[in-house]
């Protein structure tokens, strides 16, 4: 059962082939047995999961079921879960138990899905390797050999590793600069970052508010469509949520791709991309040509500025968002503070990790008097140019395709001493967040035994088209079905 997709499990539950309790117990047993190798979960909610599974079986017996009723999944530990610890991978929130559900959490609960637990992540979603978690690094299931352990990507590395290791059929995730697509690519799973505003951010702990977007991870494009059907939609509790009709994302999965116009951004097929990676991506694009798509080169001339702009805007917003963690209201508080200033400074110094502190410092500097115009304002102007590049490209083509990452999963510890080198891991993903357009990563081959991701980028609110393109690719390839040994 653990190797089946969400769609297959839903059909098995519907037919009575298996009960939700049996299914949930199988995944819980697998997590207990296997996760010590990966460290993909921070919290496992066994008792609550089995109670929810029993309720789901009762709902199915009463004929009151959705596609998700009784299907197990996991939440990235950035989504607030009522009564369940939500840490955001940080010592600062090690013992934080929210008194409410995030909208994404509430939607899955309403759909009858069974949450197995909360997955590991880079602290406050800041990182590209899941080595920044207070609860320890996550290991990629495709790279477990001692002395050669590979990162799963970040910040949603726990979700990606758990899906890849078949500890859960699906998991929620978030993407601020590539944190769904990059780990999905490195772990050989399918991940979708929707259009900014398509999924509510209410109850999703903030990193950079104008960039953060909740999304989905699973084995297949079809499973991502089923997840998006649950989480997409307007939420009056989120001021950035967009009031726009939500289609059934599974309805157009099987439409033919004949006539689909694919653009290849020349800036994404550059010297930063290894020849072996490029070959795998171009092989995937040839499959699209066989399916009737046409391919042309396009340009995103300001893409080269994306990392510089992002690492001004994102830390600036993080600096503001994380100011709430002061040791007073909730979160970590230092022992025996001498006075209020000591409480503030020691609580933050002891509660935050090194990468979070680095970004707070950079962001505070960029927002300070005398530097705001030179850094933050300039970065926002560059962001507008990047957005215009995408708008212009989608006047010529239906989707853009590129590699998701410049290289396969790297060895743990290889890049932790050089933050700039680590930041370059997101070179092909960051511009998408700055523009706010949707994108996804689908498995597209292997290099040296490690997964390669194909990134598919769409115009605003074109998630259905992306899922259709990914699903059709997965009908003629089996990369998404490969399992790590």
């Amino acid at each position: 059962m653990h190797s089946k997709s969400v769609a297959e499990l839903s059909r098995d539950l519907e037919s009575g082939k298996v009960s939700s309790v049996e299914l949930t117990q199988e995944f819980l047993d697998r997590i207990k047995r296997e996760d010590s190798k990966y460290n993909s979960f921070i919290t496992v909610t066994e008792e609550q999961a089995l109670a929810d599974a029993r309720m789901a079986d009762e709902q199915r017996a009463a004929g009151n079921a959705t596609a998700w009723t009784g299907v197990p999944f996991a939440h990235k530990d950035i989504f607030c879960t009522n009564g369940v610890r939500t840490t955001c991978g940080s010592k600062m929130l090690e013992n934080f138990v929210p008194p409410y559900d995030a909208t994404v959490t509430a939607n899955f609960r309403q759909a009858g899905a069974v949450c197995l637990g909360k997955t590991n992540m880079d602290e406050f979603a800041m990182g590209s390797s899941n080595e920044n978690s207070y609860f320890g690094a996550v290991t990629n299931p495709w790279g477990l050999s001692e002395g050669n352990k590979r990162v799963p990507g970040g910040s949603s590395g726990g979700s990606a590793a758990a899906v890849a290791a078949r500890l859960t059929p699906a998991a929620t995730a978030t993407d601020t600069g590539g944190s769904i697509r990059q780990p999905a690519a490195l772990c050989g799973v399918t991940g979708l970052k929707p259009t900014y505003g398509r999924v509510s951010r209410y109850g999703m702990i903030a990193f950079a508010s104008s960039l953060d977007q909740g999304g989905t991870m699973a084995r297949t494009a079809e499973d991502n469509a089923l997840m998006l059907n649950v989480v997409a939609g307007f939420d009056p509790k989120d001021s950035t949520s967009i009031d726009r009709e939500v289609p059934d994302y599974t309805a157009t999965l099987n439409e033919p791709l004949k006539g689909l116009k694919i653009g290849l951004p020349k800036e994404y097929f550059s010297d930063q991309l290894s020849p072996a990676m490029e070959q795998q991506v171009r092989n995937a694009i040839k499959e699209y040509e066989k399916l009737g798509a046409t391919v042309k080169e396009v340009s995103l001339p300001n893409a080269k500025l994306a990392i510089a702009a992002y690492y001004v805007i994102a830390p600036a917003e993080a600096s503001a968002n994380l100011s709430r963690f002061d040791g007073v209201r909730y979160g970590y508080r230092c022992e025996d503070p001498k006075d209020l200033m000591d409480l503030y400074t020691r609580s933050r110094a002891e509660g935050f990790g090194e990468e979070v502190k680095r970004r707070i410092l950079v962001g505070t500097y960029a927002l300070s008097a005398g530097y705001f115009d030179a850094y933050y304002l300039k970065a926002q102007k560059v962001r507008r140019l990047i957005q215009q590049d995408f708008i212009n490209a989608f006047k010529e083509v239906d989707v853009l395709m590129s590699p998701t990452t410049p290289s396969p999963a790297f060895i743990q510890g290889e890049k932790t001493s050089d933050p700039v080198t680590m930041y370059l891991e997101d070179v092909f993903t960051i511009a998408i967040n700055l523009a706010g357009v949707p994108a996804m990563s689908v498995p597209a081959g292997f290099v040296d035994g490690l997964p390669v991701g194909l990134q598919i980028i769409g115009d605003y609110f074109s998630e259905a088209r992306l899922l259709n393109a990914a699903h059709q690719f997965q009908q003629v390839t089996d990369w998404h079905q490969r399992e790590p040994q």
Side-chain angles (χ1 to χ4, degrees):
M1 282 292 169
H2 67 262
S3 290
K4 292 192 173 186
S5 68
V6 170
E8 291 167 334
L9 293 174
S10 181
R11 288 192 288 269
D12 286 349
L13 287 164
E14 178 65 27
S15 68
K17 186 175 180 180
V18 68
S19 72
S20 179
V21 169
E22 292 169 329
L23 192 57
T24 301
Q25 190 66 63
E26 178 170 336
F27 279 104
L28 289 169
D29 290 344
R30 189 167 171 80
I31 292 167
K32 278 184 198 171
R33 191 171 61 247
E34 303 286 338
D35 195 44
S36 59
K37 293 183 288 192
Y38 316 116
N39 193 34
S40 64
F41 279 83
I42 291 175
T43 303
V44 178
T45 53
E46 181 172 7
E47 191 176 314
Q48 183 64 53
L50 289 170
D52 290 347
R54 285 190 288 271
M55 189 181 299
D57 285 335
E58 291 170 8
Q59 288 176 326
R60 283 201 179 270
N64 183 27
T66 72
W68 275 95
T69 301
V71 178
F73 79 109
H75 275 305
K76 181 177 180 179
D77 203 17
I78 198 170
F79 292 99
C80 286
T81 41
N82 189 356
V84 176
R85 184 175 68 147
T86 301
T87 71
C88 217
S90 179
K91 181 180 180 180
M92 183 62 79
L93 292 175
E94 182 180 7
N95 299 307
F96 174 58
V97 178
Y100 68 98
D101 276 335
T103 298
V104 164
T105 307
N107 287 355
F108 269 107
R109 200 185 295 277
Q110 190 173 351
V114 176
C115 180
L116 298 167
K118 312 291 288 292
T119 59
N120 206 341
M121 57 178 284
D122 281 304
E123 185 180 6
F124 284 101
M126 299 182 196
S128 303
S129 65
N130 221 135
E131 294 172 285
N132 294 332
S133 172
Y134 174 67
F135 300 93
V138 176
T139 302
N140 191 324
W142 291 96
L144 289 171
S145 57
E146 202 58 48
N148 195 33
K149 289 186 176 181
R150 303 280 171 162
V151 302
S155 63
S156 307
S159 290
V163 173
R166 308 302 191 252
L167 304 184
T168 176
T172 57
T174 63
D175 195 308
T176 306
S179 290
I180 288 175
R181 292 157 289 149
Q182 188 242 19
L186 300 190
C187 290
V189 301
T190 307
L192 170 67
K193 181 207 89 74
T195 304
Y196 182 79
R198 177 83 287 187
V199 174
S200 172
R201 292 189 304 109
Y202 177 77
M204 188 178 98
I205 296 169
F207 161 19
S209 301
S210 74
L211 298 162
D212 297 342
Q213 184 56 63
T216 59
M217 268 191 202
R219 280 178 50 206
T220 69
E222 181 182 18
D223 288 356
N224 277 266
L226 288 166
M227 294 184 81
L228 195 58
N229 278 347
V230 173
V231 298
F234 176 65
D235 180 12
K237 294 195 281 284
D238 174 10
S239 62
T240 61
S241 178
I242 295 173
D243 193 357
R244 185 180 173 118
E245 186 180 351
V246 179
D248 177 359
Y249 291 104
T250 62
T252 54
L253 289 176
N254 293 312
E255 288 188 0
L257 297 185
K258 187 172 177 59
L260 181 75
K261 290 180 280 189
I262 298 171
L264 305 184
K266 63 182 182 182
E267 292 81 7
Y268 287 3
F269 291 86
S270 62
D271 294 341
Q272 289 170 300
L273 183 63
S274 73
M277 290 283 291
E278 181 171 354
Q279 187 58 54
Q280 290 298 324
V281 171
R282 291 197 182 276
N283 289 345
I285 291 162
K286 284 177 186 173
E287 294 293 337
Y288 279 99
E289 291 181 293
K290 291 178 191 174
L291 291 168
T294 58
V295 177
K296 67 176 289 187
E297 186 180 81
V298 297
S299 180
L300 301 171
N302 294 293
K304 63 184 180 293
L305 304 173
I307 285 184
Y310 176 88
Y311 280 103
V312 171
I313 294 168
E317 295 185 8
S319 163
N321 278 324
L322 270 60
S323 64
R324 72 192 67 177
F325 301 109
D326 54 12
V328 176
R329 287 157 290 190
Y330 57 91
Y332 176 79
R333 177 181 291 180
C334 68
E335 294 287 335
D336 301 320
K338 295 172 185 171
D339 52 34
L340 187 60
M341 186 55 68
D342 187 46
L343 171 69
Y344 288 156
T345 54
R346 281 179 48 218
S347 294
R348 290 170 68 79
E350 295 168 15
F352 290 135
E354 291 305 309
E355 181 61 28
V356 174
K357 291 176 190 173
R358 183 182 294 117
R359 298 199 195 191
I360 289 172
L361 288 169
V362 169
T364 304
Y365 181 83
L367 292 175
S368 59
Y371 297 105
F372 182 88
D373 288 357
Y375 292 106
Y376 186 74
L377 193 61
K378 179 71 75 176
Q380 291 288 19
K381 290 177 179 178
V382 169
R383 181 182 192 170
R384 184 64 186 86
L385 295 175
I386 291 167
Q387 182 186 38
Q388 192 61 48
D389 285 348
F390 282 98
I391 291 169
N392 293 341
F394 289 122
K395 290 175 183 175
E396 301 179 48
V397 297
D398 299 317
V399 297
L400 300 173
M401 291 189 184
S402 77
T404 309
T405 60
S407 61
F410 50 92
I411 296 169
Q412 287 180 349
E414 187 180 319
K415 302 186 180 185
T416 49
S417 61
D418 186 353
V420 175
T421 304
M422 184 76 80
Y423 296 165
L424 291 172
E425 284 299 307
D426 296 327
V427 65
F428 301 138
T429 57
I430 274 177
I432 286 89
N433 297 79
L434 290 169
V437 295
M440 64 187 300
S441 180
V442 296
F446 288 83
V447 169
D448 300 327
L450 297 167
V452 172
L454 170 71
Q455 182 171 224
I456 312 172
I457 308 161
D459 202 355
Y460 297 101
F461 300 102
S462 66
E463 288 85 359
R465 173 174 279 164
L466 298 186
L467 290 160
N468 168 227
H471 181 70
Q472 290 303 303
F473 178 70
Q474 291 181 341
Q475 300 309 295
V476 296
T477 62
D478 69 348
W479 303 119
H480 62 291
Q481 295 175 346
R482 305 285 181 94
E483 292 186 32
Q485 295 302 312

